[in-house]
Structure formats: C-alpha cells, structure tokens
Amino acid sequence: HWMACLWGCLGLKRSSDHTWLTALSDAKGGSDEMYDGPLQVYSLALYWAIITLTSIGYGDITPQSMMEYRVATLCACVMAGIWAYVIGAVCGIVSTMEPHDVTFKQTMDDLNWLMSSRGMPREMCVKLRRYFHETREMNRGRTEAHITDQMSPMLQGEFALFSHQMWIEKVWYLRNM
C-alpha cells in the first residue's frame, strides 16, 4: 500500500512533463479518465507495487525520471526484503511441521558428519544408517511413552482405548468397552 502511494504520488506530481504515468498513457493508450483520478492512479501504482514485490516485473510501468528511478530502486530493495522475510517465514513454518522428521533428519546429518570425520568404511556406514532407519519408529514410540507418562492414569486409559480402538473392535467381547 505504502509503495503504491509513494509511486502514485510521483505519477501525479507534474514537476516534469514526462512521468511513469504519462509514459504508460502514451504506450498503452486508453481513455484519459484511466490516468487522471487518484483512485485510478492508485490502482495502477498498486499494480506496479504488487508486480515489483512478487518480482514478476512485466516492464509496462517503468521510471522515466531520475527521481522515479531512485524511488523505484528504494521500493525494489524494501520489497525484496519483505519478500525474503515472507518466504523465510513460510519455509520456517513448513520445516517445523513434523518435529519427529526434523529430529530424525538432524540425527542422520550428525551421523553422516561423524562417519565422515572418522573416515569410517562404507560397509560400516551402511550398517549404521540402516540401524537408525530401522529404529526410527521405536524412537517415536519412546517419545509417545514419555508423553503418556505425564498423563493422569484416567487420561492414560482413555488415550490407550482411543489409540487401540481398531484392535479392540476385532475382539468380540471387548467391542462395547
């Protein structure tokens, strides 16, 4: 919004005869109403800001004076920072969605570093990696046990019933528990 306001003000400020707004009007044509009112100019400027922010940059709205070049450069730098922050935040959220997977991958990275730094033979490396892959679910079970140990006995029972409902349903005399 603020970038669009700044860019729109540059277009409306008629200190020179040739601004981004007049260049766009000359290049694209259309009715004069499209380039005159503040709302119309804001719409064009907002389009420019979004296209610049997302780094698409079609090139249909371009600076025409040194002041516009300076403002466009400043806006591009600010928008690049904002875009990098947003992308980083999204990647951070996605990367921590499965904490067990993140922990396992970190463990495997540490194991690979350890084996590499010790110069272990290939056969030993394969054996160690296989072990960690095979114990992955067991470690998840340890985490589950640690969490359920913190529950009250009543909640542990309810949790166990819910977790094993599929197996309980298969035993006829336990079905109505």
Side-chain angles (χ1 to χ4, degrees):
H1 166 76
W2 293 112
M3 299 294 178
C5 290
L6 180 60
W7 192 246
C9 285
L10 284 175
L12 287 174
K13 181 181 153 201
R14 306 284 181 180
S15 62
S16 71
D17 292 337
H18 201 61
T19 67
W20 69 265
L21 193 57
T22 57
L24 181 66
S25 175
D26 293 344
K28 296 265 184 176
S31 69
D32 288 341
E33 295 170 359
M34 187 169 154
Y35 306 100
D36 284 340
L39 183 60
Q40 289 78 1
V41 173
Y42 174 76
S43 298
L44 294 169
L46 183 62
Y47 160 81
W48 172 84
I50 291 171
I51 295 303
T52 303
L53 172 67
T54 57
S55 68
I56 295 171
Y58 292 127
D60 53 350
I61 297 178
T62 57
Q64 301 298 313
S65 68
M66 189 51 65
M67 176 60 83
E68 288 180 357
Y69 272 103
R70 289 180 181 140
V71 170
T73 301
L74 175 69
C75 289
C77 290
V78 170
M79 289 183 194
I82 291 169
W83 192 242
Y85 176 79
V86 168
I87 296 297
V90 168
C91 288
I93 290 167
V94 169
S95 71
T96 58
M97 289 178 76
E98 292 290 332
H100 295 289
D101 291 340
V102 171
T103 302
F104 176 75
K105 288 175 184 173
Q106 182 63 49
T107 299
M108 293 306 289
D109 287 345
D110 292 343
L111 176 65
N112 288 331
W113 169 82
L114 177 66
M115 293 184 304
S116 174
S117 70
R118 304 291 175 159
M120 296 193 152
R122 186 176 178 341
E123 298 80 30
M124 177 64 103
C125 293
V126 169
K127 201 181 283 188
L128 287 168
R129 285 188 191 105
R130 186 178 313 127
Y131 171 80
F132 277 91
H133 277 282
E134 290 173 1
T135 60
R136 185 177 186 177
E137 285 304 313
M138 185 177 68
N139 289 332
R140 198 177 276 226
R142 285 184 190 147
T143 301
E144 185 177 306
H146 176 72
I147 292 170
T148 55
D149 285 346
Q150 297 177 47
M151 296 178 191
S152 70
M154 176 74 95
L155 283 175
Q156 286 178 358
E158 288 179 32
F159 179 78
L161 276 174
F162 179 80
S163 298
H164 303 292
Q165 190 67 37
M166 179 180 76
W167 303 110
I168 293 171
E169 291 291 322
K170 294 185 186 284
V171 179
W172 65 269
Y173 55 87
L174 296 178
R175 282 190 192 132
N176 295 325
M177 289 185 78

